[in-house]
Every structure is written in structure tokens, then in C-alpha cells.
Amino acid sequence: MKVYSIALLPGDGIGPDVTAAAWQVLEAVARSADFKLQGTSLPWSCDHYLQTGAMMPDDGIETLHGFDAILLGAVGWPEKVPDAISLHGLLLPIRKSFQQYANIRPHRLLPGVEGPLRKAQFDILCIRENTEGEYSGAGGRVHQGTDNEVAIETAIFTRMGVERILRFAFEQARRRRGKLASVTKSNAQRHSMVFWDEVTRELAGEYPDVEVTSYHIDAMAARIVMAPESLDVVVASNLFGDVLTDLGAAIQGGLGFAASANINPGRDAPSMFEPVHGSAPDIAHLGIANPIAAIWSASMMLDHLGETAAAARIMTALEAVTSRGIGTVPGKNKTDEITKAVLAALD
Ligand code: IPM
Ligand code: MN
């Protein structure tokens, strides 16, 4: 029997609440499948930082490398640790070290969820570049606190980085409805974004079966609200993808429904699965966080591990639950209630 070792990183805020829910569902699915899941919980978080001076131990990345996959809750509790420290101490180094360059975020309405657009039907797969671009971390500050202060944050786009994410997106489009929207801002950013558009055109020749259109980020933001049904796969740089996927989350009913997978397509390091942030410290431990995004992310994890039937079983159960109106309206059902309903629907 196959045994998958899973690193559990509940993290901060509502992270522990929703990770526990997702893990219960995963264990239930594994019980009646022909694979086992072995979970190891790691306490790396802002509290860990306050106790040890670091978000994770020095050999944290090495430790995580030994796992088949990582299930993450959320990172960040700004009242305890500044976000710029906590995120650069845990979430972002994992994405970069493990070359999880494809951040996949599905945006569609689960049955029974209305969303703010009222009855709009859409099924968007956002593919966000996850290792470079505006998140490269290159830059610095000089003359701090003086009138001459300068802050520089340089976006870095490499041919390898841009080509591999676009290729990944073309492949996804080919497997779906054959439409790809590539998002830049090449009318204003004339170096990196013009480069991205060029690589998009170059690759388009290799995928004659995919209909590719380039959009500017501002127009895409409007399109996601006005005509989401016109979109299939959307690919964007790290920061643009970050912003667009919060918008995607909003039209699908909120962050409680927004799942994501940080994929290392080369499979030479573990991939990481997490609900789209934040950590919502204001409702941490109240038992009211929506676990649906975390459970959906867990399904994406099984899918990545090759357990497609078990992954589909989770999605069927989730959809059965939401179509009965459970977990569809913020605050209506407790975390536990929703989790129990999903567990029951699995049978
Ligand atoms: C996300 C989050 C993170 C990001 C933050 C917490 C650094 O917003 O996963 O979308 O910007 O990538
Ligand atoms: Mn975000």
C-alpha cells in the first residue's frame, strides 16, 4: 500500500482551524482507499518566531524536502510579528526553494453559493507565477529616515521563469476549454511586460490548438467582474496573479472558497497546498472559519499525488454539502458543522 508523508503546517490565525478540518477529511478518505496518509505537524508560525527568533528552524527547508507534500493553513499575525518578517521567513522561501513555480487557483461557484455577481456562471483557472517577478526580493533601502531616503524593489523576469509558467498555462488550457488569457501591463511597463508578451507569442506557435489573448491587468480586473464566463485559463506574474486571485476569490463567494496549489511541476521537491490567504487573526480559534477552501486544497493535493479518485470524492462531497446550503453564507455554519457535513457526505 502506498504511504504518503504529509507535512502539516497549520501556521497562524485560522490556519490551525481549517487545516484540522482538511486533515479530518483526508483521513476519512484514506480510510476507505488503497493508500495511507502519514501526517507530521510542524509548529512553525509567528508564535514559533516569538519563542525561537525564527519562523522555522535553520534546517526547515531540508526537513520539508523529505515529505511528499505540504498542507499549509495560513501565515501571518501582524500584531505579533510584522508580515514582512513572517512571510519571508516561511511561506515565500518554501515556494521559492522548492521551485513551486505554478500557483494554481480555481475560481468557480460551488453549487448553492451565490457570490456577489448573482447567478453568473464561470470556471476560471488562474495560474500565477510563484517564484520571481515582483516577489523576487531584489532591492534595498538607503538613507533611511532622511529626506533622501530611497527604496528600490526590482521585479525580475527571466526567460526560464516566464517560459516555464507560460508553457504550464498553455498545457492547462489544452486540457480544459482551449482558451488562455495572458495578463501583463506592457503598455506601461515596457521591459519586463513586453518581454512576457513576446514569449507568449513565441509559445503560441507551439500550441495552435490554444486560443491565446493578451490582456492588460486593468482590463482583466474589469473582465473578471463583467464577463467572467468569457475566461478559461488566466496566467499572470506573481503580483498580478496575487491581486487577480483575490478578485477571483471574491466573485466565487469569498476567501473561504478559494483553494490553491503551489506546484513544482518537475516533482523534484514537494508541492504545497493552501487556501488563498489571509490568516484572519480576528476570527482565529472562534470555530467559525470556513474550511471549504482548505478542504478543496486538500483535494488538489490528492490529485497531484495521483489519487484522482479520492480527490474527486472530496469534491463531490463538498458540492453535495454546499448544494444543501451548508457553508454557503459567511457566518451561517461553524467550522465543525461544515466539516461534519463533508465527512457525512463522503459516505
Ligand atoms: C497569497 C498571499 C501571499 C502572497 C501573502 C500572504 C504573502 O496573499 O498567497 O495570495 O502574496 O502570495
Ligand atoms: Mn494574496
Side-chain angles (χ1 to χ4, degrees):
M1 186 182 294
K2 268 198 184 148
V3 182
Y4 300 106
S5 58
I6 311 296
L8 300 171
L9 285 177
D12 297 304
I14 57 167
D17 307 16
V18 298
T19 310
W23 186 247
Q24 275 186 64
V25 172
L26 282 169
E27 284 197 303
V29 168
R31 232 173 277 133
S32 54
D34 58 354
F35 63 87
K36 273 201 162 88
L37 295 172
Q38 209 166 65
T40 304
S41 198
L42 301 163
W44 307 343
S45 59
C46 288
D47 284 336
H48 191 263
Y49 181 93
L50 294 179
Q51 287 155 18
T52 67
M55 290 297 291
M56 64 175 154
D58 284 347
D59 61 355
I61 291 293
E62 219 178 297
T63 302
L64 287 175
H65 205 292
F67 289 89
D68 293 313
I70 304 163
L71 191 67
L72 180 125
V75 182
W77 196 311
E79 274 169 25
K80 296 180 181 176
V81 181
D83 279 343
I85 291 178
S86 60
L87 276 319
H88 283 279
L90 189 58
L91 179 74
L92 300 174
I94 297 174
R95 289 179 180 168
K96 287 180 192 173
S97 307
F98 292 154
Q99 292 294 305
Q100 296 168 346
Y101 67 79
N103 188 327
I104 307 181
R105 298 181 162 183
H107 301 296
R108 62 184 172 84
L109 289 166
L110 291 177
V113 180
E114 196 161 306
L117 300 183
R118 311 231 176 273
K119 293 195 187 3
Q121 285 304 320
F122 52 86
D123 181 358
I124 303 172
L125 192 68
C126 217
I127 312 280
R128 164 187 179 187
E129 202 291 320
N130 215 28
T131 55
E132 56 171 40
E134 308 87 342
Y135 279 47
S136 68
R141 286 171 66 175
V142 288
H143 311 307
Q144 291 193 40
T146 73
D147 289 346
N148 298 326
E149 183 156 6
V150 180
I152 297 177
E153 187 97 34
T154 306
I156 293 182
F157 290 83
T158 65
R159 181 168 284 274
M160 182 188 77
V162 173
E163 204 176 300
R164 70 185 181 181
I165 194 64
L166 285 170
R167 208 173 273 288
F168 186 89
F170 271 105
E171 295 288 341
Q172 294 293 318
R174 178 172 268 179
R175 259 179 255 145
R176 286 168 50 102
R177 301 192 301 279
K179 276 178 73 173
L180 177 63
S182 173
V183 181
T184 61
K185 184 64 186 170
S186 50
N187 54 353
Q189 298 191 301
R190 59 186 174 166
H191 306 300
S192 57
M193 294 290 159
V194 169
F195 170 57
W196 178 295
D197 283 354
E198 276 171 24
V199 180
T200 303
R201 278 197 300 275
E202 277 170 37
L203 288 182
E206 291 180 40
Y207 296 88
D209 49 325
V210 174
E211 181 197 327
V212 57
T213 311
S214 288
Y215 295 92
H216 296 310
I217 174 92
D218 44 359
M220 177 53 73
R223 177 171 289 268
I224 286 178
V225 173
M226 303 301 286
E229 70 289 343
S230 69
L231 297 164
D232 180 9
V233 176
V234 174
V235 63
S237 65
N238 212 332
L239 179 61
F240 287 2
D242 175 49
V243 176
L244 289 181
T245 54
D246 253 45
L247 188 52
I251 65 166
Q252 78 189 122
L255 282 169
F257 300 97
S260 86
N262 304 272
I263 299 289
N264 167 324
R267 292 179 184 264
D268 51 9
S271 293
M272 177 165 69
F273 303 83
E274 51 165 332
V276 176
H277 272 73
S279 59
D282 53 320
I283 59 161
H285 313 308
L286 294 182
I288 55 171
N290 189 341
I292 289 178
I295 296 170
W296 189 340
S297 305
S299 163
M300 294 174 84
M301 182 181 86
L302 291 183
D303 204 55
H304 178 74
L305 292 171
E307 302 299 341
T308 48
R313 232 182 115 207
I314 293 182
M315 288 316 293
T316 307
L318 263 188
E319 289 178 3
V321 165
T322 57
S323 62
R324 292 192 345 252
I326 300 172
T328 53
V329 179
K332 186 172 138 200
N333 302 99
K334 301 234 171 207
T335 313
D336 242 22
E337 258 178 273
I338 301 170
T339 311
K340 284 201 180 103
V342 176
L343 292 169
L346 283 173
D347 300 326

